[in-house]
Amino acid sequence: MMKMNSIRKKLSFILCIVLIAAMALFTAGCNDASGAPSGTAAPAGTAFTVVVTDLQGEQTTFHYTSDKDTVGDALLAEGLIAGEDSDYGLYVTTVNGITADWDKDQTYWAFYIDGEYATTGVDATRISEGATYSFVLTGPEETATEASATEASDVTVLGEGSTVFTVVTTDLDGVESTFEVHTDAQTVGKALTDVSLIAGHDSEYGLYVDTVNGITLDWDKDGKYWAFYINGEYAMTGVDTTEVTSGAVYAFKAE
């Protein structure tokens, strides 16, 4: 009898060991390496917000967390944007399913970082934690207004040469002036300096334009400057490195 009791105790002990091992394996299978339940691991990456504004001013907000380095890569992966390669990087043509076509209707997607017009393209803009990136569809309403203003005012013809392009200047009061420039110069900076439409000083980034159409802006004094645009897009090159293109529209806006 004592021998039977001893055997039963051994069997009970072995059974307990087996049950403990089984429970341990079950627990390990329900948790990942970090200790969190499998399938519920916290998302990794950088959190940021994207706000999309269409022509009617309606806004759609998106919140993302991504392990990509740049805004462009992250939003391409999410399918929010699409575009094509250009000399300045990815040219965004479609945002949230809406396609802009400058050649067809003079619409384009303007890109902003925390409310400021971006000076880098989406594929060169590194994601910052908590930042807000905005895409604003700019188009017919603004273009129609600009066209009306152009028709209603005289276009001033400047210079001589075989290449012709347009320059639109907008002062701090929103008053526009349009110029038809004829030149044989290779760059916009040289062409406009030759006809005295712009003036500036040399900087480490090339010619810094501080005077346009006789109006001088002083960043150090009043925080204002001349923004340079090429066919409605914020220029990624300076005036003295931007090659003249026949038929192009170059704009200077006081901002």
Side-chain angles (χ1 to χ4, degrees):
M1 182 65 69
M2 290 180 64
K3 187 175 182 180
M4 287 297 293
N5 287 337
S6 177
I7 292 173
R8 287 174 180 173
K9 288 181 179 180
K10 290 181 179 179
L11 289 174
S12 296
F13 177 74
I14 294 171
L15 180 60
C16 287
I17 295 299
V18 171
L19 288 174
I20 291 171
M23 290 178 66
L25 289 172
F26 177 78
T27 302
C30 292
N31 291 271
D32 60 17
S34 65
S38 60
T40 61
T46 306
F48 62 97
T49 300
V50 177
V51 179
V52 180
T53 305
D54 63 20
L55 281 176
Q56 287 69 48
E58 296 184 6
Q59 294 186 336
T60 306
T61 302
F62 303 84
H63 299 284
Y64 294 114
T65 298
S66 176
D67 57 3
K68 302 291 186 182
D69 290 330
T70 68
V71 175
D73 285 343
L75 299 187
L76 284 172
E78 295 290 345
L80 184 67
I81 66 172
E84 56 193 35
D85 291 332
S86 73
D87 292 339
Y88 309 108
L90 178 67
Y91 177 73
V92 176
T93 56
T94 302
V95 179
N96 196 27
I98 303 172
T99 298
D101 189 335
W102 175 263
D103 294 330
K104 180 180 179 181
D105 52 20
Q106 288 73 57
T107 57
Y108 69 96
W109 284 105
F111 178 47
Y112 295 81
I113 303 173
D114 288 331
E116 294 290 330
Y117 202 106
T119 57
T120 53
V122 292
D123 53 353
T125 301
R126 297 184 67 83
I127 299 173
S128 295
E129 180 71 33
T132 297
Y133 304 101
S134 303
F135 292 89
V136 180
L137 185 58
T138 304
E141 293 181 2
E142 292 81 359
T143 304
T145 300
E146 292 176 1
S148 297
T150 301
E151 292 173 1
S153 62
D154 293 331
V155 176
T156 303
V157 178
L158 300 174
E160 296 180 355
S162 58
T163 303
V164 181
F165 62 90
T166 301
V167 175
V168 179
T169 66
T170 307
D171 65 19
L172 289 171
D173 296 320
V175 177
E176 293 184 351
S177 300
T178 304
F179 302 86
E180 181 181 291
V181 180
H182 296 244
T183 188
D184 287 325
Q186 298 298 308
T187 68
V188 174
K190 181 67 165 61
L192 300 186
T193 300
D194 286 347
V195 297
S196 301
L197 187 60
I198 67 170
H201 58 271
D202 291 333
S203 73
E204 58 182 318
Y205 304 109
L207 179 65
Y208 179 81
V209 176
D210 51 27
T211 302
V212 176
N213 196 23
I215 302 173
T216 299
L217 300 180
D218 189 333
W219 175 262
D220 294 330
K221 182 179 178 181
D222 52 24
K224 304 298 183 182
Y225 70 101
W226 285 106
F228 178 46
Y229 295 81
I230 303 173
N231 291 332
E233 288 286 329
Y234 199 102
M236 305 305 292
T237 54
V239 292
D240 54 351
T241 57
T242 300
E243 294 186 359
V244 172
T245 300
S246 181
V249 177
Y250 303 102
F252 293 89
K253 295 182 180 180
E255 297 184 353

